[in-house]
Amino acid sequence: NLNLDDIQGDILIGMKKNQELFYFFSIEDPSDFKPKLASDILPNITSTSQLLDVSKQPVTMLNIAFSATGLSALGVNESLGDSAFAGGQFKDSRSLGDPGSDNWVPEFAGTDIHGVLLFASDSQDNINDAVFELESALGGSIKKVYSLAAAARTGSQAGHEHFGFLDGISNPAVEGFNADQAMPGQARISSGTILLGESGDFGRGRPAWAKDGSFLVFRQLKQLVPEFNKFLVDNPIVGNGLTREEGSELLGARMMGRWKSGAPIDLAPLRDDPELGADPLRNNNFTYAHADLDLSTDQSRCPFSAHTRKTRPRADQGENLVTQIMRAGIPYGPEVSDDEAAANTTSTERGLAFVAYQSNIGNGFRFMQQTWANSIKSALHLPRPCRIMYSLSTSLSFVNPGVGVDPIIGSLAGAERVIKGMDPSNANQTITLTGNNFVISRGGEYMFAPSLSAIASKLSV
Ligand code: N7H
């Protein structure tokens, strides 16, 4: 069983508060910062066991993670056995398909960010109080480089991201933690897929102190919501007895793999089924395989390129249990204004503060983004991470079925994206997404969220 007192709370269950602040900092004076890390930050870090017990939850929760340059500023230069982490995210932006660094938040473009403090609470006022208190304690030992305030949407949109889709339905269950209570269809993964040094972590040469830490991938992903809505209105899937409006909803659902209610299109192919979407015993219980359909060619229920199918191909790969991440993102930015809706144009930035935890960035987030979402192939023909892959060359020698990139997050450095399979009755019909993607990377950083004992015994001494 895992030592839940020692694992930061955001990693396995997410802080799940309505307000969150990502406070990116640089370490200005390591010898001043280290004792304060021990005395002012460490006692306030919210562990997993604290999150699990409502009576122990603080008003404002706090977690922390460090970039490779941040660990180095602390004098910790040992390799954590993850090359993506070591290089930092900016160096990786081309490989991730980002269209150049022009769209990046300037503070992310480089390696100046040493760490992030994650504050989560019910109100922004609570967070402001906690930030003020911590800033006063830390003085000039750190400097704020950039911050992003994020907030869950409210009312009928509670739990939904800015495009309107219910999020946070499908995260894997972890052996030694909550695998016993896995919901039908939920992936059951080794603890080492998320936590370093636990069983199933393939990383080599991890220092002992890194155990029970996790790599945090942060991405500020801007969403062009009025533009996305206009695209759906302009390209309804016709036929199937649907109205134009229903055809537009269907297109959005087929791009995502789920309806806005969360109902998987694999189980509700033509019309939304909000009851199914809200039922945790059923809303994740599907594999894309059906006895009467050919898994390798049929897209009548779900396109191969749909976002959920790209990022977790289920039966297409015999359930790949290595390329799995724990998602803990939250929306940022305001609701779409009437003016933006009327003009079909974004004027104020909004999107997803994407947070994903894994023990190996190359097998987790990076594999999903680069090898799956940005590929024009279907998952059946896509490689798995090398540790469990029988033969990469065999996979690549398949005839390229050309289903297209993930229409939500797939990115080809700004190039036009051609997607097939959106029309359930005509899988060969293509849709071309030109110009901007609906999701634009504004960059981010690769971080390491250490265990509490690692902070006490290694990082603060
Ligand atoms: Fe995605 N969205 O809110 O619209 N995602 N995602 N994601 N995503 C999922 O199943 C979204 C992004 C995964 O288990 C749902 O919980 C948006 C990146 C994975 O079947 C919705 C953005 C990566 C899953 C969204 C975004 C992933 C998943 C359905 C960017 C990794 C689980 C709800 C702005 C590289 C798949 C659910 C499964 C599901 C949205 C980004 C990965 C609604 C808007 C960058 C693994």
Side-chain angles (χ1 to χ4, degrees):
N1 277 1
L2 299 172
N3 180 357
L4 302 179
D5 293 335
D6 204 27
I7 300 168
Q8 295 199 56
D10 203 38
I11 300 172
L12 295 178
I13 43 178
M15 294 192 281
K16 291 197 185 74
K17 284 292 180 186
N18 285 339
Q19 304 285 330
E20 190 161 353
L21 180 76
F22 299 90
Y23 183 109
F24 297 91
F25 61 89
S26 63
I27 299 166
E28 298 293 298
D29 182 345
S31 53
D32 185 18
F33 176 67
K34 283 186 177 205
K36 291 175 174 164
L37 174 60
S39 61
D40 296 288
I41 297 181
L42 181 57
N44 292 315
I45 290 182
T46 315
S47 68
T48 309
S49 40
Q50 256 176 302
L51 273 190
L52 288 170
D53 181 347
V54 181
S55 69
K56 288 192 194 149
Q57 288 181 4
V59 172
T60 300
M61 300 166 178
L62 180 68
N63 270 206
I64 192 169
F66 296 94
S67 67
T69 55
L71 291 182
S72 172
L74 294 175
V76 175
N77 291 303
E78 295 152 73
S79 164
L80 292 189
D82 193 290
S83 54
F85 170 75
Q89 195 178 112
F90 183 53
K91 197 174 150 207
D92 221 11
S93 64
R94 284 240 148 250
S95 310
L96 297 173
D98 287 2
S101 56
D102 293 355
N103 293 317
W104 275 50
V105 171
E107 289 83 355
F108 286 135
T111 55
D112 291 347
I113 287 173
H114 289 157
V116 62
L117 290 156
L118 301 89
F119 296 88
S121 193
D122 294 330
S123 78
Q124 209 62 49
D125 280 352
N126 290 344
I127 292 181
N128 291 341
D129 290 348
V131 170
F132 180 78
E133 210 172 299
L134 199 57
E135 279 180 339
S136 317
L138 296 174
S141 67
I142 67 164
K143 193 176 82 195
K144 177 165 106 175
V145 177
Y146 175 66
S147 66
L148 183 67
R153 299 179 67 209
T154 55
S156 65
Q157 292 302 309
H160 295 241
E161 52 64 65
H162 278 297
F163 289 143
F165 294 85
L166 184 64
D167 200 1
I169 306 166
S170 181
N171 256 334
V174 173
E175 301 290 352
F177 177 53
N178 58 358
D180 295 349
Q181 302 121 49
M183 290 289 164
Q186 196 177 3
R188 293 169 58 127
I189 60 169
S190 308
S191 48
T193 305
I194 306 298
L195 297 166
L196 275 72
E198 291 290 348
S199 124
D201 170 19
F202 294 114
R204 294 211 188 106
R206 315 276 207 206
W209 61 267
K211 186 171 185 224
D212 286 345
S214 185
F215 292 110
L216 185 176
V217 171
F218 181 87
R219 298 268 279 168
Q220 179 171 331
L221 297 174
K222 174 176 169 182
Q223 291 173 256
L224 301 180
V225 180
E227 291 85 345
F228 177 76
N229 289 339
K230 168 96 164 69
F231 175 75
L232 299 187
V233 168
D234 288 348
N235 296 280
I237 294 172
V238 295
N240 307 295
L242 302 177
T243 63
R244 224 186 129 84
E245 204 177 318
E246 288 169 337
S248 293
E249 284 295 304
L250 179 61
L251 174 61
R254 286 181 70 86
M255 290 167 81
M256 190 62 73
R258 289 186 185 270
W259 295 92
K260 287 185 173 166
S261 72
I265 55 169
D266 189 58
L267 301 181
L270 285 181
R271 284 195 170 78
D272 195 358
D273 180 349
E275 265 177 47
L276 168 64
D279 182 351
L281 291 173
R282 294 192 293 143
N283 67 11
N284 215 6
N285 196 13
F286 62 97
T287 66
Y288 303 115
H290 297 271
D292 55 337
L293 299 172
D294 181 348
L295 179 69
S296 65
T297 55
D298 187 84
Q299 305 193 65
S300 62
R301 300 181 83 94
C302 181
F304 290 123
S305 63
H307 175 59
T308 56
R309 194 165 185 173
K310 279 279 188 180
T311 53
R312 183 182 162 205
R314 303 192 187 213
D316 294 328
Q317 290 219 336
E319 188 66 290
N320 176 338
L321 295 176
V322 172
T323 308
Q324 298 273 351
I325 53 177
M326 203 60 86
R327 291 177 297 132
I330 176 169
Y332 70 89
E335 292 293 310
V336 173
S337 69
D338 292 346
D339 285 352
E340 289 178 294
N344 300 311
T345 309
T346 299
S347 48
T348 311
E349 180 171 344
R350 63 183 59 74
L352 182 69
F354 176 84
V355 173
Y357 292 97
Q358 60 256 277
S359 66
N360 184 318
I361 296 173
N363 280 355
F365 159 76
R366 198 170 187 278
F367 206 86
M368 283 180 188
Q369 181 70 55
Q370 184 190 26
T371 311
W372 286 350
N374 294 353
S375 167
I376 56 170
K377 300 178 186 180
S378 91
L380 269 177
H381 305 279
L382 284 175
R384 299 154 167 243
C386 44
R387 305 241 176 250
I388 58 158
M389 201 168 62
Y390 321 115
S391 158
L392 178 62
S393 53
T394 321
S395 309
L396 293 178
S397 68
F398 274 99
V399 178
N400 173 4
V403 304
V405 302
D406 177 327
I408 303 296
I409 64 161
S411 182
L412 301 174
E416 112 181 347
R417 305 171 305 151
V418 179
I419 288 147
K420 274 192 195 169
M422 289 299 132
D423 186 334
S425 43
N426 177 9
N428 284 324
Q429 192 214 48
T430 58
I431 289 192
T432 305
L433 304 173
T434 42
N436 277 334
N437 301 353
F438 300 116
V439 170
I440 297 174
S441 162
R442 307 225 48 224
E445 190 48 287
Y446 295 148
M447 310 266 186
F448 179 67
S451 68
L452 277 70
S453 57
I455 296 175
S457 66
K458 181 76 184 177
L459 305 183
S460 64
V461 294

